[in-house]
Amino acid sequence: MPLPYTATPIQQLLLPEALHAGINILVKREDLNHTHVSGNKWWKLKYNLATAMRQGHQTVLTFGGAYSNHIYATAAAANRLKLTSIAIVRGEETRPLNHTLSFAKEQGMHVHYVSRETYRQKETSEFLGLLHDQFGSFYQIPEGGTNLLAIQGVAEFARQLAQEVTFDYVCLPVGTGGTMAGMIAGLEGAAEVIGISVLKNGAFLSGEVAGWLKKFSDIPYGKWRIETSYHHGGYAKHTPELRALIEEMKTGHALPLDAVYTAKMVAGVRDLIRVGAFNEGSTVLLLHTGGLQGQYN
Ligand SMILES: *Cc1c(COP(=O)(O)O)cnc(C)c1O
């Protein structure tokens, strides 16, 4: 993969409630794997970009909202690999551009806005046909980057992680469920996987993850579940408690968190410790999936 990758550290998190409960908390700082294509997005893009290049594509096209970490990462990765990138963004352009989209444009990405109604039709052959008429041939990456090649990339990361460190549980934030499916697939039961939904009404995500796993391979997978009550009001919504947690983790534990994903995971894990969800003596590994660029929006 011509996209550079930096090896990432594992940080111990000394939370008083964890010490009290006899639980060891580790954080895999995957947010540090690349300056711009960071966290889970590096792994989700890895085989997609390799495939695009192997198939001779010069252009990648993807979809997302105006604050999408996936669009940000795709723009940077495509620029680095000398691929043209196009983003189909939901909603109208708002000026000044936010940090995510101004960065994407600086990286050379073509940002193309469509109405929410059109965006809902993005998977239809009619709309994709129009995009091909307008932009020519391209390699298509879905919204959020979740597809089987993304799961393959994350599964590879999970296998490496299980070689590097021993843990009983891994916790991660869940948006589409692609990263979670990759973790479950790669760990093959080596640890229990607990996802924290960042979406309100995230119950459907279990079906999404199960569906991806089924498509990915027939092997039986280890234990996993998604917690749905730590969304703090829904996607990109936050509460004063979440803000306070971000500040506390930054100043007290040298752990930078983003408000959309990773802070909700840490808040969820703290509550899970409180309710006794983890066995005494166990090691809980939190996956820092990145997303820190979002704090500049
Ligand atoms: C995109 C993203 C996620 C969600 O990943 P999914 O595979 O869609 O579940 C989690 N954390 C961060 C920081 C992200 O940018």
Side-chain angles (χ1 to χ4, degrees):
M1 176 71 170
L3 203 58
Y5 178 84
T6 305
T8 61
I10 292 173
Q11 172 179 351
Q12 193 171 31
L13 188 60
L14 299 173
L15 298 178
E17 60 267 51
L19 297 174
H20 185 253
I23 295 161
N24 182 29
I25 309 268
L26 302 175
V27 185
K28 176 64 169 169
R29 292 291 308 275
E30 203 56 19
D31 56 305
L32 298 171
N33 63 9
H34 187 283
T35 318
H36 298 304
V37 192
S38 85
N40 61 341
K41 300 304 186 280
W42 196 97
W43 294 99
K44 291 180 83 170
L45 286 170
K46 177 177 180 179
Y47 289 109
N48 275 295
L49 295 172
T51 302
M53 295 204 313
R54 200 186 56 229
Q55 292 177 349
H57 285 283
Q58 258 124 50
T59 303
V60 294
L61 180 143
T62 195
F63 307 90
Y67 295 92
S68 165
N69 290 334
H70 163 68
I71 285 184
Y72 182 97
T74 303
N79 187 23
R80 168 78 193 204
L81 301 176
K82 300 195 164 45
L83 294 166
T84 301
S85 65
I86 301 166
I88 307 301
V89 174
R90 180 182 55 230
E92 308 219 318
E93 178 171 15
T94 48
R95 290 274 174 176
L97 290 180
N98 68 29
H99 173 74
T100 304
L101 294 181
S102 57
F103 173 84
K105 289 195 106 167
E106 271 161 42
Q107 298 292 311
M109 187 175 238
H110 301 275
V111 179
H112 183 82
Y113 299 87
V114 297
S115 70
R116 286 168 186 274
E117 202 179 313
T118 306
Y119 192 84
R120 271 193 294 275
Q121 316 286 317
K122 66 184 177 306
E123 310 285 344
T124 62
S125 50
E126 289 90 334
F127 183 61
L128 292 170
L130 289 175
L131 291 177
H132 279 292
D133 291 344
Q134 190 170 352
F135 299 115
S137 128
F138 54 76
Y139 180 86
Q140 187 186 329
I141 305 178
E143 179 179 52
T146 293
N147 59 14
L148 288 173
L149 290 173
I151 293 167
Q152 182 189 340
V154 176
E156 178 178 307
F157 163 74
R159 279 191 296 275
Q160 288 179 13
L161 186 63
Q163 300 282 314
E164 183 187 359
V165 58
T166 306
F167 49 95
D168 304 290
Y169 307 88
V170 61
C171 299
L172 74 158
V174 178
T176 66
T179 304
M180 176 143 184
M183 291 303 293
I184 297 165
L187 288 173
E188 294 181 32
E192 188 169 333
V193 183
I194 302 176
I196 310 292
S197 169
V198 303
L199 313 178
K200 201 167 166 174
N201 305 320
F204 79 99
L205 287 168
S206 296
E208 295 288 304
V209 171
W212 283 116
L213 287 173
K214 207 167 175 167
K215 271 187 230 163
F216 188 71
S217 128
D218 279 334
I219 65 159
Y221 295 106
K223 271 179 90 171
W224 61 271
R225 70 171 189 278
I226 299 182
E227 295 287 342
T228 56
S229 56
Y230 302 118
H231 56 74
H232 295 252
Y235 185 73
K237 300 269 183 350
H238 33 83
T239 55
E241 291 75 24
L242 204 64
R243 285 268 152 230
L245 176 75
I246 291 171
E247 193 52 35
E248 180 192 345
M249 289 298 136
K250 189 170 110 187
T251 55
H253 297 277
L255 181 64
L257 298 172
D258 81 298
V260 180
Y261 294 102
T262 52
K264 291 181 182 177
M265 165 183 63
V266 172
V269 167
R270 287 189 107 164
D271 192 61
L272 290 171
I273 295 170
R274 198 178 57 77
V275 301
F278 305 114
N279 294 329
E280 190 178 347
S282 61
T283 295
V284 180
L285 186 129
L286 315 191
L287 177 59
H288 197 315
T289 46
L292 295 173
Q293 71 88 15
Q295 72 195 324
Y296 300 112
N297 276 307

